[in-house]
Amino acid sequence: MVHKLRIPGTAKCGFLILLIACGSIFLSFFYFTEETVSQDLNYEDDLYYSPQPVLPFTPEVLDENFDRCIFSTIYSDLGGTNATMRTLFPEIPSSISFLTDKQLKVKKYAIFEVLKTFTDLMASYFMVETVLIEPTILFCMLASQHKDLLIKRKFHFKNFFNSKHIVTFGIRGKDTLKLQKAGAYANIKARGFKMELVSEPLLGWMKTGNTTSSSNQYTSHAFFKYRDWIIHLVPFYDRGNFQWHAALETKSNKRIPFKELYFTESASAYENFGYESLKFYSHSLSNVNIPSNPQFFLFETTSSRFLECNSTIVSSFYKSNQTGVPGDHYSLSVPRFNKRTVIGLLELKAIFNPLLMNFWIWSGTMLGWYRQCDVIPYTSDVDFAAWASQVDDLDDILHRLEQSDHMELRQRMGIVENTLEFNINCHNLRVDVFFLYHQSNGTWYAGHRPSKGYYFKYHHPDFTLCSAQLLDHKVLVPCETEKVIITEYGPEWMKPVTSWNYESSIKNRGPNIYWDKSMLEKVYQNN
């Protein structure tokens, strides 16, 4: 038997009043949200941001005996793959000092004369500053702690070993115009040099800026021959807020030893870098400059290969989705969202770059770059990732984060050894930093459900890191971008999904893993 519940009249009135009150609260909340978004769309953003300056150069970054890398003889193992610090540089142990050059299988190359002669020529005649970027020499000059950290970060010095009688310099792209002036070649020849410039068709992004001359060519690389030395000059061009250099496409000239050159295999991107003259050590080195942060410059070489955004994919996406995709973010207008994305990116660079830690765009932010060459216009946060194995001191990272005037750590989930994740607030924009872990068949990172006390793993294949451009800034992305995206979003990743759930929508999710109750307070910390 079913009994109907009778509600007294007074109770009915109370229930009705409660219902109306709840409805009013909901409507007022909806109105407030809409009003907030409307105000955000209509009012000018008064958020001021000044990026932190690049870390200044200090002589302490160099070994106290770095002069031996310039004034003394550099030893080079002819085998290449067996090169070590002791066979490459002057620090040859006394126990083998009695061996002959033939027994050591080394050749000796004195570098000082060519450094001074070339840099003096460029500075005095062309009024051009050059920057020494030859990896063997820069690495040799570094203090031991920076050498050790580079090696720990998988910087393989032997990859930069094949250069024999070759030294590499960087130059600002616009300064290559001075090398093309009338009479330049004759004057260079009169000083004992031969010069060869490699020209390439002007690129589309160069045509909209003031990077090159009004011609339809730009100088991608330059070579100088001096006695038995080859000097390789790499022009770095301003692109957005970073530096870009070209691959060496023209390989028909047999006089250039392409297999022994570096900074040639691919177009590459680097953060803007300053330079420092070595005149603080010796006046004879006044025109010899090195990058202000030589250890970071070398670190960047491992992920510098530049990926252009795929315009075909972008065109196809917008052609298939001309309607039905929201044009604004859930809580911020597009200009405000983009501005805060850039602030978050630059603040993370200020934290991670000095520690030689890679971090890259990830998840929805990576998808937006690959699919739309932009940030997805309806998302609610930005996603980055880093390697947990590169976290040497979590407390140091957290301290650096606390010093930021623009980011606040809202929640730290997991521990360094397992499932670490940061939830950061950047002027009302959520910034997620996921930490990835290596496993035998790929990589993984964690998704968390703190309220339920469990986490789960997102599994990915192995990938390497490349450079790309997002919102006019250099970012890192997985080189195998599409493979990573398909793993996470499935084969229909080109279709926009406006209702995304981090637990149920994702394609590479593992089962729930519950924490022991004794661990909950440690792994879920709110600020």
Side-chain angles (χ1 to χ4, degrees):
M1 180 182 293
V2 178
H3 294 277
K4 291 184 179 180
L5 179 63
R6 293 183 176 271
I7 302 178
T10 304
K12 286 182 178 179
C13 292
F15 179 75
L16 183 60
I17 292 171
L18 178 63
L19 184 63
I20 293 172
C22 291
S24 299
I25 292 172
F26 174 77
L27 289 174
S28 64
F29 174 78
F30 179 76
Y31 174 76
F32 175 77
T33 303
E34 288 295 305
E35 183 180 39
T36 302
V37 175
S38 176
Q39 288 177 350
D40 184 70
L41 291 173
N42 295 327
Y43 286 85
E44 184 178 352
D45 189 359
D46 59 357
L47 173 59
Y48 174 76
Y49 178 71
S50 178
Q52 295 187 29
V54 176
L55 290 175
F57 172 83
T58 58
E60 287 72 27
V61 75
L62 303 180
D63 186 89
E64 60 181 3
N65 297 313
F66 79 90
D67 58 301
R68 288 185 294 182
C69 305
I70 299 173
F71 293 108
S72 300
T73 298
I74 292 181
Y75 289 74
S76 292
D77 184 306
L78 295 180
T81 57
N82 296 320
T84 66
M85 284 298 298
R86 295 191 182 280
T87 58
L88 285 171
F89 301 115
E91 298 91 332
I92 293 182
S94 57
S95 60
I96 62 170
S97 60
F98 62 88
L99 296 179
T100 65
D101 289 349
K102 185 175 181 180
Q103 289 172 312
L104 281 171
K105 297 182 180 180
V106 299
K107 284 188 176 181
K108 301 178 180 180
Y109 302 121
I111 192 72
F112 170 70
E113 182 185 359
V114 69
L115 289 181
K116 178 171 174 55
T117 305
F118 178 72
T119 56
D120 286 351
L121 169 67
M122 297 299 288
S124 61
Y125 179 74
F126 290 106
M127 306 299 289
V128 166
E129 296 286 355
T130 55
V131 183
L132 178 64
I133 60 174
E134 181 64 39
T136 49
I137 301 175
L138 288 185
F139 188 88
C140 175
M141 294 172 67
L142 290 176
S144 59
Q145 66 268 27
H146 297 297
K147 289 190 179 88
D148 292 341
L149 184 56
L150 277 168
I151 293 172
K152 185 177 181 180
R153 296 289 189 254
K154 311 300 182 185
F155 174 81
H156 298 293
F157 183 75
K158 64 183 180 182
N159 292 344
F160 292 98
F161 179 68
N162 290 328
S163 292
K164 298 177 177 65
H165 268 205
I166 299 173
V167 62
T168 311
F169 289 87
I171 185 177
R172 291 179 299 184
K174 62 182 181 181
D175 285 343
T176 60
L177 299 177
K178 298 179 181 180
L179 305 178
Q180 303 171 31
K181 288 183 177 180
Y185 186 84
N187 279 282
I188 288 173
K189 187 175 181 180
R191 288 164 173 78
F193 289 85
K194 294 180 180 180
M195 179 178 71
E196 182 168 343
L197 304 180
V198 179
S199 297
E200 302 289 347
L202 206 62
L203 301 172
W205 61 269
M206 292 179 169
K207 298 175 183 177
T208 59
N210 55 4
T211 306
T212 60
S213 66
S214 58
S215 70
N216 60 355
Q217 298 279 313
Y218 77 99
T219 299
S220 61
H221 291 265
F223 295 91
F224 294 80
K225 186 75 167 57
Y226 178 72
R227 296 181 181 173
D228 56 349
W229 283 88
I230 292 176
I231 299 162
H232 177 202
L233 203 56
V234 182
F236 286 82
Y237 290 92
D238 295 327
R239 179 165 180 172
N241 293 287
F242 59 93
Q243 300 293 305
W244 176 95
H245 76 71
L248 186 59
E249 301 293 345
T250 306
K251 296 191 175 182
S252 58
N253 192 328
K254 295 182 179 180
R255 293 175 297 174
I256 300 175
F258 295 99
K259 291 182 179 180
E260 298 179 17
L261 295 175
Y262 297 95
F263 306 99
T264 59
E265 291 186 359
S266 66
S268 297
Y270 289 79
E271 298 289 356
N272 290 326
F273 59 90
Y275 55 85
E276 185 72 22
S277 168
L278 295 182
K279 65 182 178 182
F280 72 86
Y281 180 81
S282 170
H283 183 71
S284 63
L285 298 174
S286 294
N287 295 319
V288 179
N289 304 305
I290 62 173
S292 298
N293 294 288
Q295 72 280 24
F296 181 69
F297 180 85
L298 291 178
F299 178 63
E300 282 194 282
T301 61
T302 61
S303 58
S304 62
R305 176 189 160 203
F306 189 77
L307 300 183
E308 293 286 355
C309 201
N310 192 317
S311 58
T312 302
I313 291 176
V314 176
S315 176
S316 176
F317 173 79
Y318 283 112
K319 196 174 195 179
S320 303
N321 302 283
Q322 294 180 358
T323 61
V325 178
D328 291 307
H329 299 281
Y330 290 128
S331 58
L332 293 165
S333 65
V334 170
R336 290 191 173 201
F337 189 98
N338 290 355
K339 184 174 184 178
R340 284 151 180 78
T341 297
V342 169
I343 292 173
L345 172 66
L346 296 182
E347 289 293 293
L348 288 176
K349 286 182 179 182
I351 293 170
F352 289 133
N353 287 359
L355 302 174
L356 303 193
M357 289 184 63
N358 284 318
F359 78 100
W360 57 95
I361 56 174
W362 192 240
S363 296
T365 307
M366 171 182 59
L367 176 63
W369 169 79
Y370 192 68
R371 192 175 66 183
Q372 293 151 253
C373 287
D374 205 345
V375 178
I376 294 176
Y378 51 84
T379 189
S380 59
D381 60 7
V382 290
D383 302 304
F384 297 98
W387 296 117
S389 60
Q390 293 183 353
V391 179
D392 298 322
D393 186 344
L394 180 59
D395 289 336
D396 183 28
I397 294 174
L398 294 174
H399 176 70
R400 291 169 184 264
L401 187 53
E402 288 175 0
Q403 301 305 305
S404 172
D405 294 328
H406 299 275
M407 297 199 302
E408 176 189 3
L409 181 62
R410 287 286 179 85
Q411 188 175 33
R412 171 161 60 94
M413 295 174 279
I415 53 179
V416 175
E417 297 79 12
N418 190 21
T419 74
L420 186 63
E421 178 187 344
F422 292 163
N423 171 3
I424 299 169
N425 174 51
C426 178
H427 298 289
N428 296 320
L429 171 66
R430 174 168 172 153
V431 177
D432 286 321
V433 181
F434 302 97
F435 289 84
L436 270 67
Y437 298 81
H438 296 283
Q439 57 188 9
S440 59
N441 59 345
T443 63
W444 67 272
Y445 70 102
H448 290 272
R449 190 69 182 273
S451 62
K452 301 293 185 179
Y454 66 76
Y455 70 92
F456 42 89
K457 294 182 178 181
Y458 300 124
H459 295 276
H460 275 283
D462 284 321
F463 57 85
T464 53
L465 292 174
C466 287
S467 296
Q469 179 176 353
L470 181 66
L471 300 176
D472 279 338
H473 288 267
K474 178 195 167 184
V475 295
L476 297 186
V477 298
C479 302
E480 304 80 9
T481 320
E482 190 166 324
K483 181 173 71 172
V484 173
I485 287 174
I486 291 174
T487 302
E488 189 143 317
Y489 295 95
E492 296 186 342
W493 55 271
M494 282 286 280
K495 293 183 179 180
V497 178
T498 57
S499 298
W500 180 262
N501 183 283
Y502 75 103
E503 287 203 64
S504 59
S505 300
I506 206 153
K507 306 299 182 184
N508 56 337
R509 182 194 193 283
N512 297 340
I513 304 173
Y514 286 85
W515 293 102
D516 186 278
K517 289 184 178 180
S518 62
M519 288 288 293
L520 290 176
E521 187 175 342
K522 182 178 181 180
V523 297
Y524 295 129
Q525 297 187 16
N526 297 320
N527 284 6

